[in-house]
Amino acid sequence: MSQSPTANATLVKQLNALTERVDDLETELETKDQRIQDLEDDCETFAANLTATTDRIETLEEIIATERDRTATLEDRIDELKTENTLLQEELSNEREQNQRIRASVSRIINDVREYTCEDGSSVDATSPSIVAEAATVGETLHDTIQRSTENASLLDFTTKRPQNTGIHEKYLNILGRAEEKAREINSRTVYLNYREVATHYGCAYLTDGYRVMNEIAERVPGIEYVDGYLANPDIDPTTKVEGKRIRVEWNHPDLRGWVRAHRAE
């Protein structure tokens, strides 16, 4: 039985539509296949990047471990340097103390040489440069002695009975002790001391430090004044310069007596 032309045309049309649909599906499938391929390529790229990143992380971890070891080594070295620095500071402090003892001893030597009087009544020229040279030589000998035995350092103080590490206040008390003796000698509560007396009992060089100590003790201890020399001796020219200076000690000054009692009790 033959079909009508209309039916045939409908079948042809449906067949063409199915063919076009198949073509569309094939095109869509090819697109999806390409997309899948692209995703697979991206995954491979990501995997390669991940591997490289992992390797980089491992390398960085090794570097960090190395730096930690280096830091620990540096910290140990810093601790060693701190210990060495502490030891060096202690040695420096000891050297400074020894140097101070030597300077005090040399100053006393210079003072004793200047005070020395020969049997014939002559004395050493206080301005002679040989005094300083001889004192320097003695100072070198003293330094060698200290290095050989610091325990015998007290033997260096052979000119006075004052301890070498005397504090400032104790040195001031030594000066005031001389003033007290002088007050009894002249039967007066007001006494004057010159730079030689001050330097001798303080333990310093005459011209170098004597006037400085007089000025300092006058500023720090009540009842003591740094005055012109003509006040102590009318024979001194009132226009004299600093060489004529004295310290005046007022034993009746209540603050001075209190200061002496307080520091003698220390």
Side-chain angles (χ1 to χ4, degrees):
M1 180 179 66
S2 61
Q3 296 179 347
S4 64
T6 302
N8 290 334
T10 301
L11 289 174
V12 170
K13 187 176 181 179
Q14 291 177 349
L15 182 59
N16 290 334
L18 290 174
T19 301
E20 291 177 357
R21 178 58 180 164
V22 169
D23 292 339
D24 292 339
L25 291 174
E26 289 179 349
T27 301
E28 185 178 351
L29 181 60
E30 290 177 356
T31 302
K32 289 182 178 181
D33 288 340
Q34 184 62 44
R35 177 59 179 165
I36 291 172
Q37 184 63 43
D38 292 341
L39 291 174
E40 289 177 349
D41 293 340
D42 291 341
C43 286
E44 291 179 358
T45 301
F46 289 149
N49 291 337
L50 179 60
T51 301
T53 302
T54 302
D55 294 340
R56 178 59 178 166
I57 290 173
E58 292 177 353
T59 302
L60 290 175
E61 288 178 347
E62 293 176 357
I63 294 174
I64 291 172
T66 302
E67 289 299 322
R68 284 176 178 170
D69 293 339
R70 183 169 177 272
T71 300
T73 302
L74 290 175
E75 289 177 348
D76 293 339
R77 180 55 180 163
I78 289 173
D79 291 338
E80 293 176 358
L81 291 175
K82 287 181 179 178
T83 302
E84 292 178 3
N85 182 57
T86 300
L87 294 175
L88 289 175
Q89 288 181 349
E90 292 177 355
E91 292 179 2
L92 178 60
S93 178
N94 293 334
E95 289 294 331
R96 285 176 176 171
E97 291 179 0
Q98 291 180 0
N99 184 57
Q100 290 176 355
R101 290 196 294 269
I102 292 171
R103 288 173 63 88
S105 298
V106 172
S107 296
R108 286 192 290 272
I109 291 171
I110 294 174
N111 293 343
D112 287 344
V113 171
R114 285 172 173 161
E115 291 286 350
Y116 179 75
T117 302
C118 300
E119 294 180 357
D120 59 1
S122 62
S123 59
V124 179
D125 182 6
T127 61
S128 174
S130 62
I131 293 178
V132 178
E134 293 175 5
T137 302
V138 174
E140 293 178 0
T141 303
L142 291 175
H143 184 269
D144 294 338
T145 302
I146 291 174
Q147 287 185 328
R148 286 194 301 269
S149 177
T150 55
E151 294 180 356
N152 294 328
S154 60
L155 297 177
L156 296 175
D157 194 12
F158 52 82
T159 59
T160 68
K161 295 182 180 179
R162 297 189 303 277
Q164 295 206 16
N165 291 328
T166 305
I168 296 297
H169 290 161
E170 189 170 350
K171 291 182 178 181
Y172 288 167
L173 288 174
N174 291 332
I175 296 173
L176 291 173
R178 169 54 188 157
E180 188 175 14
E181 293 175 357
K182 197 168 185 178
R184 287 196 298 267
E185 292 172 1
I186 64 176
N187 193 24
S188 173
R189 305 304 293 173
T190 301
V191 295
Y192 294 85
L193 299 180
N194 60 29
Y195 74 95
R196 287 179 177 270
E197 293 172 300
V198 170
T200 298
H201 292 82
Y202 185 89
C204 63
Y206 283 159
L207 294 176
T208 305
D209 297 316
Y211 291 104
R212 174 185 60 79
V213 173
M214 286 199 297
N215 191 27
E216 288 179 356
I217 192 173
E219 292 179 352
R220 298 175 181 177
V221 180
I224 299 178
E225 292 185 70
Y226 187 43
V227 299
D228 293 329
Y230 72 88
L231 295 176
N233 185 354
D235 295 334
I236 296 179
D237 185 354
T239 62
T240 185
K241 296 182 180 180
V242 69
E243 286 77 5
K245 291 287 188 178
R246 300 286 192 277
I247 57 170
R248 179 171 58 200
V249 182
E250 299 284 352
W251 277 109
N252 286 330
H253 197 291
D255 292 337
L256 175 58
R257 293 199 300 271
W259 189 95
V260 171
R261 285 195 301 269
H263 290 86
R264 280 180 176 172
E266 290 180 352

